[in-house]
Amino acid sequence: MPYDLEDHPDLKDAAWIRKANKLAKRDIRRQRRQARLRRHGGKVVSLIALVVIGAVLFGLHKAGKFGEVSLPEMKLPAAYHGVDTENPFARTPAEQWAEGEKGIVAPDQNPEYTALYEAARKAVMAGHLDRAVVVERNREPLLSMLAPDNRAHFEPIKDTVLWTSIKEGTTLLPVPVRVDGRMWADRDADGRPLVHTSYRFAYAFDPGDRKDSLVEQTELLAMVRSDADFVLTEEGLWVVKIDGYTYLMACKAAEEGYLAPAFTEKPKPAGKTSDRSTEEWFASNAPMPTDDGCK
């Protein structure tokens, strides 16, 4: 006897449903990998649709009689045509982060730390939000804030997360940098006031004619995490410790001390990506990782 799709006994078999789900997930992973390699790719079928299709085809194959199943009308999602450059942080962990300097604030009004809070705040903003530093690759706005000896230490250094400078030839989208993190008070080994800062900065890049080859919103982004400790002396502001990483970045650019999104370089061979999830990399309380995916 003929069956409606939802009543067909073969479509109530838990074993083949699990198998269909597995096959569907494998297919969507394969499609996403291929989409990154195709300049004019971009057709992505949702996981739900693939599961439904996979379940139907598996059931029909098992039944061996296509004519016995009446298929309901199904509408598949429209083809995916690029990412949303108008809202580049949409559907990414950075969507809920603060915009620009609103994300860099003193934790309290302790008068003993007021001057240091403000100095650290200005240094963090100069290093990661100032257009001269970020876009024009001129580090002077930040270096001029440091004590002379501290400045002399950082001037020759390029591979550091104390500042962000995007690679020449790349362009940021006209939206504020998204910021997440905090600063907090402490004391150094000599008992002097010390301020710890730990911030993540998400930058949205203009993909230009690459737009239709991108699949996920995070492909528009490149991120910097910067953990810096500051003290204030008679000579000026000192950065006494700096640690961090870049993520979703172009590896070659990062090695040269610049930030660029991954789509500006050839994809890494399969198996070279990090095991950490996007959410883990973006989490404000995540431990400092040891692998950035470029090794």
Side-chain angles (χ1 to χ4, degrees):
M1 61 178 293
Y3 295 97
D4 288 334
L5 178 63
E6 63 270 19
D7 295 325
H8 198 288
D10 288 326
L11 301 185
K12 295 183 179 182
D13 187 326
W16 71 255
I17 288 177
R18 287 195 299 271
K19 183 174 181 180
N21 279 327
K22 183 177 180 180
L23 292 173
K25 290 177 181 178
R26 183 196 64 188
D27 286 344
I28 199 167
R29 285 196 298 268
R30 176 179 55 79
Q31 281 199 356
R32 285 178 172 172
R33 285 196 301 269
Q34 292 175 340
R36 290 191 179 93
L37 298 174
R38 292 197 306 267
R39 184 171 181 79
H40 296 291
K43 292 186 178 180
V44 179
V45 181
S46 72
L47 178 59
I48 294 176
L50 282 174
V51 171
V52 171
I53 295 169
V56 171
L57 294 178
F58 193 87
L60 292 175
H61 174 73
K62 185 175 180 181
K65 297 180 180 180
F66 286 82
E68 292 185 1
V69 179
S70 57
L71 295 176
E73 181 182 355
M74 291 188 296
K75 294 183 179 180
L76 297 179
Y80 183 88
H81 296 293
V83 289
D84 185 356
T85 54
E86 295 294 324
N87 301 286
F89 299 105
R91 304 183 302 281
T92 76
E95 184 175 16
Q96 303 303 319
W97 292 5
E99 294 184 347
E101 63 183 60
K102 295 177 182 178
I104 306 172
V105 297
D108 54 54
Q109 297 180 338
N110 186 335
E112 185 179 11
Y113 286 86
T114 299
L116 181 51
Y117 283 151
E118 185 60 17
R121 179 175 181 272
K122 288 181 177 179
V124 172
M125 290 193 300
H128 300 283
L129 301 179
D130 192 307
R131 179 178 175 82
V133 178
V134 177
V135 177
E136 299 171 11
R137 295 167 285 281
N138 174 12
R139 299 173 296 162
E140 186 60 25
L142 170 61
L143 294 176
S144 64
M145 297 181 181
L146 304 181
D149 287 347
N150 202 221
R151 173 181 177 138
H153 170 75
F154 282 105
E155 271 188 310
I157 297 176
K158 289 187 176 181
D159 186 14
T160 178
V161 290
L162 185 58
W163 58 77
T164 301
S165 292
I166 65 172
K167 186 174 178 61
E168 188 174 2
T170 62
T171 304
L172 294 176
L173 288 168
V175 295
V177 177
R178 291 298 178 98
V179 182
D180 177 61
R182 66 188 183 108
M183 67 172 67
W184 66 100
D186 199 356
R187 293 190 180 276
D188 66 10
D190 297 322
R192 296 176 302 183
L194 177 145
V195 165
H196 301 284
T197 65
S198 179
Y199 289 98
R200 283 135 300 279
F201 303 88
Y203 300 84
F205 286 80
D206 187 344
D209 60 5
R210 297 183 179 93
K211 179 179 177 181
D212 288 341
S213 70
L214 304 184
V215 176
E216 299 172 352
Q217 282 297 114
T218 52
E219 292 183 274
L220 292 173
L221 311 184
M223 190 186 80
V224 174
R225 173 174 168 177
S226 177
D227 289 11
D229 293 351
F230 297 90
V231 296
L232 199 57
T233 69
E234 293 180 356
E235 292 78 24
L237 183 67
W238 284 74
V239 180
V240 295
K241 182 180 179 181
I242 181 70
D243 196 6
Y245 60 81
T246 54
Y247 179 55
L248 298 172
M249 72 297 178
C251 293
K252 184 177 179 181
E255 291 170 0
E256 297 170 350
Y258 298 104
L259 186 70
F263 66 71
T264 61
E265 295 179 2
K266 292 182 179 180
K268 296 183 291 297
K272 293 294 184 181
T273 56
S274 171
D275 290 334
R276 295 171 67 89
S277 69
T278 298
E279 289 72 18
E280 287 178 305
W281 281 101
F282 278 76
S284 59
N285 60 347
M288 192 65 66
T290 58
D291 174 28
D292 61 8
C294 285
K295 304 300 182 183

